[in-house]
């Protein structure tokens, strides 16, 4: 595969941008090659600077549930652009997007629009602290909640392929307030709650973990978190930056039946543009300025172009409920294609991961937390990634990210992918 132009661009990029990329996993270091540079995308396809075409299962790390450049979203965005790119003032679009989010996830009685998932979770945690008057939070190792200081402790995603699990530059004082429990392990949460009685403001969790590969919650795990937070006066925050509008129109609360106090959204809610949201119980969100004393603001919050992309994307998802049945069925087909000895496949709806678990014997089939995910064979994953890419199929360049299926991945493309999987994993 010719990648001459991508290589030239990467050389130039490395002179000015750390690692040549604006987000670490894009550097392809975990799979031992250089990244390709994208020129454009359409439907399920990415086209690189050398004219190569890839069937894309990264989907911009989640937003692309409709595929790339959906004509309705593009048309709406083009129209919005002609009316101005940013006002820093309220718009009707913000109200419509908020109403649509609340219609899909009724627990979100009040919300704020922000620009990134990092900002959304950081703000939700601040609100939880302001509401409860407590400082500590519990998160789970391998869950990733963006790169704000207090949440970069035992985080998943790009941190799992660095040599250290936590970022440098985070003052120890921040980390002291971040307690880390084991995903799917109720006892680890109970212990932290007891040791820190009356001090925990919130438990923040990815209701389906998707940043250490996909790791679904065990039956009863989320219900336990709901119960213990209620008993201890802490809030439950579902970080739905990945799962929101992905597992179902109503996200994780619809998919699992468990309800949180606060939710964070990103990716799909912005239809591919920089937009995110946090919100939930009205009495809790009433803490946010100017109603209350928790400060959070942003020049580009509720940006009119991003809001338009979000509205149009949610409109399509709300109109065509068959989308979820289609993408889940296609992901199920991919799951079946991965099924063989030496692989552990985790799937929740249209999110899935194949963990390379050769020689695991009895334990095969069980990746339920960060420690188990870390034991996977990363070299085997890298070999699989490279074989898939050579066949024109782009999956996330790390064992610890999800495979995303979109509505543009038609059945025939799924079958082609299954064939490539068969040839790439053995
Ligand atoms: N944190 C994102 C994956 N979970 C990576 C985003 C990106 O590189 O674009």
């Amino acid at each position: 595969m010719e990648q001459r132009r991508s290589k030239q661009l990467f050389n130039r990029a490395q002179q000015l941008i750390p690692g040549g990329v604006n987000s670490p996993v894009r550097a392809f270091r975990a799979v031992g090659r250089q990244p390709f540079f994208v020129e454009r995308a359409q439907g399920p396809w990415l086209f690189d600077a050398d004219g190569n075409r890839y069937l894309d299962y990264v989907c911009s790390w989640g937003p692309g549930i409709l595929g790339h450049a959906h004509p309705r979203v593009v048309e709406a965005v083009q129209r919005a652009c002609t009316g101005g790119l940013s006002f820093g003032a309220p718009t009707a679009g913000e109200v419509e997007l908020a109403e649509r989010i609340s219609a899909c996830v009724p627990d979100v009685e009040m919300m704020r629009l922000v620009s990134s998932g990092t900002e959304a979770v950081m703000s939700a945690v601040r609100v939880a602290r302001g509401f409860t008057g407590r400082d500590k939070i519990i998160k789970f190792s391998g869950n990733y909640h963006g790169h704000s200081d207090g949440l970069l402790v035992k985080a998943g995603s790009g941190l799992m392929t660095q040599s250290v699990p936590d970022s440098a530059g985070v003052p120890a004082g921040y980390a002291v307030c971040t307690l880390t429990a084991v995903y799917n392990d109720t006892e680890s949460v109970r212990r932290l709650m007891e040791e820190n009685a009356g001090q925990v403001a919130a438990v923040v969790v990815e209701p389906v973990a998707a940043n250490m590969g996909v790791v679904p919650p065990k039956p009863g795990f989320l219900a336990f978190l709901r119960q213990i937070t209620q008993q201890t006066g802490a809030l439950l925050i579902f970080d739905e930056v990945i799962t929101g509008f992905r597992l179902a129109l109503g996200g994780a609360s619809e998919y699992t039946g468990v309800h949180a106090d606060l939710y964070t959204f990103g990716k799909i809610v912005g239809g591919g543009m920089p937009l995110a949201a946090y919100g939930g119980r009205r009495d809790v969100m009433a803490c946010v300025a100017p109603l209350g004393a928790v400060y959070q603001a942003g020049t580009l919050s509720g940006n009119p172009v991003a809001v338009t992309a979000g509205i149009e994307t949610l409109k399509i998802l709300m109109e065509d409920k068959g989308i979820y049945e289609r993408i889940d069925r296609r992901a199920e087909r991919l799951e079946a294609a991965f099924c063989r000895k030496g692989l552990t496949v985790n799937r929740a709806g249209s999110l899935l991961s194949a963990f390379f678990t050769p020689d695991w014997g009895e334990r095969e089939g069980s990746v339920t937390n960060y420690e188990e995910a870390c034991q996977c064979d990363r070299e085997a994953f890298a070999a699989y990634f490279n074989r898939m890419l050579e066949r024109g199929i782009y999956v996330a360049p790390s064992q610890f990210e999800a495979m995303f299926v979109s509505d543009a991945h038609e059945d025939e493309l799924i079958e082609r992918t299954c064939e490539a999987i068969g040839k790439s994993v053995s």
Side-chain angles (χ1 to χ4, degrees):
M1 176 182 298
E2 175 61 53
Q3 292 194 326
R4 201 165 49 89
R5 185 135 172 73
S6 278
K7 284 195 177 107
Q8 285 167 354
L9 286 166
F10 192 48
N11 288 340
R12 279 171 56 199
Q14 287 177 100
Q15 304 306 312
L16 294 165
I17 303 172
V21 291
N22 283 308
S23 188
V25 283
R26 299 181 194 176
F28 281 21
R29 289 192 172 198
V31 290
R33 69 187 290 151
Q34 295 194 350
F36 58 84
F37 279 59
V38 177
E39 200 162 80
R40 66 188 177 88
Q42 184 64 57
W45 304 105
L46 281 184
F47 299 86
D48 75 10
D50 293 280
N52 299 306
R53 187 179 77 160
Y54 308 91
L55 185 53
D56 178 22
Y57 285 98
V58 178
C59 293
S60 186
W61 307 91
I65 191 167
L66 303 173
H68 295 285
H70 189 288
R72 271 180 60 180
V73 179
V74 170
E75 202 264 324
V77 165
Q78 282 171 338
R79 213 174 337 110
C81 285
T82 60
L85 300 181
S86 175
F87 314 131
T91 64
E94 291 172 312
V95 186
E96 179 177 350
L97 183 57
E99 285 168 351
R100 286 188 181 276
I101 292 171
S102 192
C104 294
V105 189
D107 292 340
V108 181
E109 297 168 338
M110 200 173 244
M111 77 204 75
R112 262 285 161 80
L113 303 182
V114 291
S115 299
S116 72
T118 292
E119 211 185 328
V121 191
M122 180 186 78
S123 307
V125 166
R126 185 178 301 151
V127 170
R129 287 179 165 140
F131 181 77
T132 59
R134 301 171 176 184
D135 285 345
K136 295 185 178 172
I137 56 163
I138 295 179
K139 77 174 283 290
F140 295 90
S141 44
N143 278 201
Y144 179 75
H145 304 291
H147 63 274
S148 67
D149 283 340
L151 290 161
L152 272 187
V153 178
K154 296 257 169 19
S157 190
L159 278 101
M160 290 185 74
T161 49
Q162 306 283 316
S163 48
V164 286
D166 303 334
S167 171
V170 176
Y174 281 98
V176 164
C177 287
T178 307
L179 312 170
T180 312
V182 177
Y183 198 73
N184 276 322
D185 178 352
T186 54
E187 269 320 296
S188 69
V189 181
R190 199 190 305 279
R191 213 172 22 251
L192 287 175
M193 280 295 195
E194 280 168 11
E195 287 167 6
N196 298 275
Q199 300 174 64
V200 176
V203 173
V204 55
V205 65
E206 289 184 68
V208 169
N211 283 290
M212 50 177 160
V214 173
V215 178
K218 284 184 182 169
F221 176 63
L222 296 176
F224 167 82
L225 297 183
R226 177 64 288 178
Q227 195 189 27
I228 197 161
T229 45
Q230 268 163 352
Q231 283 166 354
T232 55
L235 299 183
L236 180 59
I237 304 175
F238 275 0
D239 178 346
E240 294 229 55
V241 168
I242 287 182
T243 54
F245 312 99
R246 161 72 58 184
L247 294 175
L249 198 50
S253 52
E254 181 182 330
Y255 187 78
T256 66
V258 180
H259 298 266
D261 300 300
L262 288 175
Y263 294 81
T264 63
F265 302 104
K267 303 194 189 269
I268 291 174
V269 77
M273 298 208 65
L275 185 140
Y278 70 96
R281 273 170 46 187
R282 187 177 298 280
D283 59 332
V284 177
M285 288 302 288
C287 289
V288 179
L291 281 186
V294 174
Y295 197 72
Q296 174 270 311
T299 299
L300 292 170
S301 293
N303 172 269
V305 183
V307 160
T308 303
I311 291 173
E312 203 56 36
T313 301
L314 292 197
K315 261 190 200 168
I316 297 168
L317 294 173
M318 290 163 100
E319 282 164 20
D320 181 358
K321 301 241 171 55
I323 288 177
Y324 292 99
E325 183 277 319
R326 287 196 292 278
I327 59 177
D328 289 9
R329 179 172 42 76
R330 290 166 184 166
E332 200 178 351
R333 176 75 190 94
L334 295 174
E335 179 184 21
F338 279 116
C339 264
R340 68 198 60 219
K341 217 172 142 17
L343 282 182
T344 296
V345 194
N346 282 352
R347 182 179 73 84
S350 57
L351 295 170
L352 73 155
S353 282
F355 293 94
F356 285 77
T357 52
D359 315 322
W360 273 32
E362 293 282 280
R363 286 194 307 132
E364 193 169 288
S366 165
V367 177
T368 64
N369 60 36
Y370 176 78
E371 203 178 71
E372 288 168 355
C374 285
Q375 288 163 12
C376 293
D377 185 338
R378 299 170 196 208
E379 277 174 30
F381 175 86
Y384 148 78
F385 170 89
N386 282 297
R387 287 186 204 121
M388 290 290 274
L389 198 70
E390 293 302 325
R391 293 188 163 90
I393 296 175
Y394 176 47
V395 296
S398 161
Q399 171 72 92
F400 308 114
E401 304 286 351
M403 189 168 180
F404 295 91
V405 179
S406 85
D407 199 34
H409 289 93
E410 289 173 358
D411 291 341
E412 178 263 322
L413 297 175
I414 295 286
E415 289 313 314
R416 219 193 282 179
T417 308
C418 291
E419 215 175 286
I421 288 170
K423 291 181 181 148
S424 302
V425 294
S426 47

